[in-house]
Amino acid sequence: MNTFYAVLPKGVENEEMLFDALSNELKFPDYFTPNWNAVYDCMCDFHWIIENKIKLVHQELPNINSEALKVYLQVLSDAVNSWTSSPGEHIFEVVFCEEDEKILKNLFR
C-alpha cells in the first residue's frame, strides 16, 4: 500500500495559517476555500491523491485558541471516521507527537 505523507509544519499560529498549511500539505484542489466545512469536505474526498493511504503528521499541535483547536480535532476525527465507516479508495490517519498527548487529553475534559 502506497502512503501519501502530509506533515503539518511547526509554528502554525492561527486558523488562517492552519488552513494554508493543510491546503498545501494535503494538496487541496484550487476550489478549496479556507473554512472548517471545506477542510472537512476535502478530507472526506481526496480524489486528487493517488496513494491509498494518507497520513497527516503533526510536528506539534497548532498554536490556535482552544475552541478552534477543538473544532479542528473534531473535523479530523469526523474525517477519519468517515473513511473508516465507509471504506473507499483511501485510508486516512492522523498522527500527533507524544508531547502533545497531555494537551489532547485535557482539551476535552
Side-chain angles (χ1 to χ4, degrees), residues 4-39:
F4 177 90
Y5 287 94
V7 179
L8 200 69
K10 291 182 178 184
V12 173
E13 299 290 330
N14 57 52
E15 287 179 60
E16 183 180 324
M17 288 178 71
L18 179 57
F19 294 143
D20 285 345
L22 290 169
S23 179
N24 289 334
E25 293 301 316
L26 290 167
K27 311 293 186 213
F28 287 168
D30 291 339
Y31 56 79
F32 170 74
T33 54
N35 64 70
W36 293 118
N37 289 333
V39 169

Side-chain angles (χ1 to χ4, degrees), residues 8 22 30 34 42 48 55-57 62 72 75 83 85 90-91 95 105:
L8 200 69
L22 290 169
D30 291 339
C42 285
W48 56 91
K55 190 173 276 201
L56 175 59
V57 179
Y72 175 55
V75 166
W83 286 107
S85 65
H90 295 295
I91 297 169
V95 178
K105 286 179 183 176

